[in-house]
Amino acid sequence: MNLHEYQGKELFARYGMPVLPGQVAGTPEEARDVAASLGGTVVIKAQVQAGGRGKAGGVKLAENPTEAFEQARQILALTIKGLPVRKVLVAQAAEITRELYLAIVLDRGRKLPLIMLSAEGGVDIEEVARTAPGKIVRRHIPLSGLRPYQARALFQPILRDGSQVAQAADILMKLWRAYSEGDCQLAEINPLAITPEGKVLALDAKVILDDNADFRHREWASWRDPAEETAGDRLARERGLSYVKLEGDIGCIVNGAGLAMATMDLVKYY
């Protein structure tokens, strides 16, 4: 299950990660009121479960409540990658001197969580992985868990400043707790930002939860957004089926995920 950014930030805040204050809004009027309560410059961010929001015009700055109203009005009229924008996050803006990428994801091949860290934050990490894979540091987390000294060692070559290394390592340790205790498949911060004052902040949140663990988390029922699901996804979830949308119009019903994918490969290529 994919979470919206504002939901991911709520999860991060529970574990003590430094996220800037903000509130979700469903209308331009609500966005204006949130901006007035926060004061100063705010960022208006489309809440759709798709990448490339900024390039699509779904992320805007507003210096006052009036601007927040207008920017929210424009963003709420957008459709990004086929998804209509129904909500925006109005959050306090931050001045940034540097952006990093930090994530913990499940490495299915090694059957271990994998830390991904890059100094190339705030951009499409898939493009970085394709064009400059050496700029991404990858470290598996052993079954015994992540230790603070290991977290510090990851950031030392990138940040060097002792205070920033300590802050970033603390965020990574809390991200690991959120990932493991929250039954996540992905917990991503992009960007992990450095301010001119030397503070390290989690400015964005992308979280994917493992549906197989929903019986352990009652709050997930309220986090799910049916409006972001296709009719096929919704029907499959209601019937308790594993459903993967592929190209074409041939359906495949088999027993076992591996056999299912092998059968689809045979249908497509042979």
Side-chain angles (χ1 to χ4, degrees):
M1 179 172 71
N2 293 314
L3 296 186
H4 286 292
E5 178 190 355
Y6 75 92
Q7 295 168 322
K9 284 185 174 180
E10 288 175 7
L11 178 64
F12 287 177
R14 291 184 190 179
Y15 285 88
M17 281 178 262
V19 297
L20 292 176
Q23 188 175 333
V24 71
T27 66
E29 290 80 9
E30 290 178 359
R32 178 189 58 205
D33 293 343
V34 174
S37 66
L38 291 174
T41 302
V42 297
V43 58
I44 316 292
K45 306 177 78 173
Q47 296 301 283
V48 292
Q49 295 170 1
R53 293 177 298 171
K55 295 178 181 178
V59 180
K60 302 283 188 180
L61 288 174
E63 296 184 358
N64 54 61
T66 301
E67 284 189 14
F69 175 94
E70 182 57 28
Q71 300 288 22
R73 185 186 65 80
Q74 295 178 20
I75 293 174
L76 287 167
L78 293 175
T79 297
I80 300 176
K81 294 186 177 179
L83 299 172
V85 180
R86 296 182 174 89
K87 293 176 286 190
V88 294
L89 174 64
V90 184
Q92 187 180 88
E95 189 176 349
I96 303 170
T97 59
R98 191 175 181 188
E99 297 181 339
L100 280 65
Y101 174 91
L102 176 64
I104 302 177
V105 63
L106 177 63
D107 183 342
R108 296 182 182 276
R110 290 284 299 275
K111 300 180 176 63
L112 288 172
L114 175 68
I115 299 171
M116 297 178 64
L117 173 63
S118 176
E120 302 291 325
V123 298
D124 188 344
I125 195 64
E126 287 81 6
E127 183 66 15
V128 176
R130 186 182 67 84
T131 59
K135 293 184 178 181
I136 302 177
V137 178
R138 295 174 171 86
R139 293 290 185 275
H140 287 93
I141 299 176
L143 295 177
S144 58
L146 182 65
R147 301 289 183 263
Y149 77 88
Q150 295 170 321
R152 291 192 296 271
L154 279 172
F155 284 101
Q156 183 62 46
I158 295 177
L159 293 177
R160 300 187 181 279
D161 179 272
S163 173
Q164 294 176 14
V165 169
Q167 292 177 68
D170 182 63
I171 290 173
L172 175 53
M173 293 301 299
K174 290 171 178 175
L175 187 68
W176 165 237
R177 282 190 57 215
Y179 176 92
S180 56
E181 295 177 10
D183 287 307
C184 299
Q185 291 183 342
L186 169 70
E188 175 187 281
I189 304 172
N190 186 27
L192 180 68
I194 314 297
T195 71
E197 298 77 26
K199 292 184 179 180
V200 184
L201 302 172
L203 289 192
D204 201 347
K206 182 178 180 180
V207 177
I208 301 177
L209 305 174
D210 185 351
D211 284 340
N212 294 307
D214 60 0
F215 67 94
R216 285 199 289 259
H217 304 276
R218 294 182 178 179
E219 71 275 15
W220 286 11
S222 62
W223 283 357
R224 188 181 298 278
D225 187 354
E228 294 289 325
E229 296 178 316
T230 66
D233 289 330
R234 187 159 49 250
L235 180 60
R237 174 173 57 80
E238 292 170 354
R239 300 294 175 85
L241 300 175
S242 296
Y243 173 72
V244 179
K245 174 63 176 174
L246 300 175
E247 295 178 358
D249 54 7
I250 298 176
C252 175
I253 302 176
V254 296
N255 183 20
L259 177 59
M261 299 310 295
T263 303
M264 293 304 294
D265 286 343
L266 287 170
V267 170
K268 179 170 182 176
Y269 295 107
Y270 299 99

